[in-house]
Amino acid sequence: THMTIVGPKKDPRAETLHALARALPARYKRLEWLDSREGKLPNPDVEYPDLDQPAAFACSAAGKCMATNACKGQSACKSASNACKGLNACKGNGFSMASQKECAAKGGVFVKS
């Protein structure tokens, strides 16, 4: 599982997301924290959107197209701001399942893990 927290390290919401991600059990876990004030991650193999609030991204299956869900209520999985799939608040706050080609056509970031 590859998890990345996106947000300032001094933001209490980002701190909570990081603590929750650290506590998740996994046989293999890659956990990163992207604070734009510190520059790029050491291994910048995934691009993340600029957001107005902290967010957590988790990738554990092939074919996730990040931040491209068509509209409110269309995300494929839970995220930091909602408890289960389909509960995203607005367009672009979640991910949808797509091929790399379909994801590029939507303007999203394809994540294969």
Side-chain angles (χ1 to χ4, degrees):
T1 302
H2 175 195
M3 293 177 275
T4 302
I5 308 306
V6 178
K9 290 184 177 177
K10 294 195 182 243
D11 186 313
R13 299 170 298 175
E15 290 174 349
T16 298
L17 291 171
H18 189 260
L20 290 170
R22 272 193 351 256
L24 291 172
R27 195 177 336 177
Y28 166 79
K29 183 173 14 179
R30 173 178 160 190
L31 177 57
E32 299 175 306
W33 194 335
L34 176 59
D35 184 336
S36 61
R37 297 173 300 171
E38 296 179 353
K40 294 183 179 184
L41 293 170
N43 184 13
D45 56 340
V46 178
E47 294 180 36
Y48 298 95
D50 290 325
L51 303 171
D52 294 334
Q53 62 184 7
F57 293 89
C59 308
S60 61
K64 291 183 181 177
C65 189
M66 306 304 291
T68 59
N69 50 291
C71 59
K72 179 178 179 178
Q74 298 298 311
S75 65
C77 191
K78 71 179 183 176
S79 70
S81 58
N82 54 267
C84 61
K85 78 178 199 173
L87 291 182
N88 59 298
C90 59
K91 179 178 178 178
N93 285 341
F95 67 85
S96 58
M97 302 308 289
S99 70
Q100 189 168 5
K101 184 177 179 180
E102 292 168 332
C103 187
K106 293 179 182 182
V109 176
F110 182 78
V111 178
K112 182 178 179 182
S113 43

